[in-house]
Amino acid sequence: MNNMLDPCLELSMRSRWLKAYYFFRSGFSVLWVAASMTLGLQSAEIATILLILYPAWDAVVNFIGAQQFGGLSWNKAQAANVVVSAVATFAVVVSLQLGEDVVLAVFGSWAILWGLLQVNAALRFWKGLEAQWAMVMILGGAQSIFVGAFFIWLSQFAVPLITNVAYLCIAACYLFFHCGNVDDRE
């Protein structure tokens, strides 16, 4: 008996896993935005926790995603995203001592780098997955780059930090709704 899965079945299983993965990521982001816009605006301590939590959480889910698709050694871009998000977590902790404008610039820099790595990962996935998933990843990466640049620009102004950072996750709503439209049968 052959232990290899039928390539079409394997692709369908990977596509279903990706759909669940992006729904989970998007759902967390939506909850994070809701907590930021409510609890984070009412409490500086909760806002601080939320600001640290987001890049730390991203490092964990990138690690999980990389493990699903060949591990960190195969998927260099996703491995880099694990490291970048872990470093961003530390940078957020440090920048919280330096001022909100610095935190916003850190989030912006992280978003740009994350987006570039996401696009790189998508280009690698393009060969192994259907083009629909690569396009979801490219669009997500491009949105992250745009939002990151916007955050760096916003860091020049006195605007409530948690409100601005919450907008980072609003782009996740796009991914959440788009994931429902990806066809598992390709």
Side-chain angles (χ1 to χ4, degrees):
M1 178 179 214
N2 189 348
N3 289 334
M4 295 293 293
L5 287 176
D6 174 354
C8 292
L9 178 60
E10 185 176 339
L11 186 60
S12 177
M13 289 170 52
R14 289 172 66 151
S15 184
R16 280 194 298 275
W17 189 90
L18 277 171
K19 186 180 281 193
Y21 177 75
Y22 277 103
F23 270 125
F24 174 74
R25 286 186 68 114
S26 301
F28 179 90
S29 295
V30 168
L31 291 174
W32 189 89
V33 168
S36 297
M37 299 300 242
T38 56
L39 303 172
L41 290 175
Q42 296 174 9
S43 166
E45 293 81 15
I46 292 174
T48 298
I49 291 167
L50 289 168
L51 288 168
I52 296 167
L53 175 66
Y54 199 84
W57 164 81
D58 192 71
V60 170
V61 296
N62 269 299
F63 179 79
I64 292 168
Q67 293 304 322
Q68 184 67 23
F69 291 100
L72 295 173
S73 62
W74 182 83
N75 190 343
K76 303 281 191 236
Q78 203 157 18
N81 255 337
V82 171
V83 172
V84 166
S85 294
V87 169
T89 303
F90 178 73
V92 168
V93 170
V94 171
S95 67
L96 283 165
Q97 310 306 312
L98 301 174
E100 290 187 356
D101 56 332
V102 179
V103 177
L104 197 54
V106 165
F107 261 87
S109 300
W110 171 52
I112 290 169
L113 191 50
W114 187 94
L116 291 170
L117 290 167
Q118 180 78 354
V119 169
N120 181 287
L123 295 175
R124 183 169 179 141
F125 276 23
W126 197 288
K127 293 179 182 178
L129 296 172
E130 65 273 3
Q132 287 184 51
W133 279 113
M135 286 307 300
V136 168
M137 293 172 70
I138 288 170
L139 289 172
Q143 287 175 341
S144 186
I145 293 165
F146 174 77
V147 169
F150 185 64
F151 281 178
I152 291 172
W153 179 75
L154 279 178
S155 70
Q156 304 171 59
F157 307 103
V159 183
L161 175 66
I162 196 72
T163 302
N164 286 321
V165 172
Y167 291 122
L168 174 69
C169 300
I170 291 175
C173 293
Y174 165 80
L175 292 176
F176 183 78
F177 293 112
H178 186 71
C179 286
N181 294 322
V182 174
D183 188 357
D184 290 335
R185 295 169 293 159
E186 285 191 11

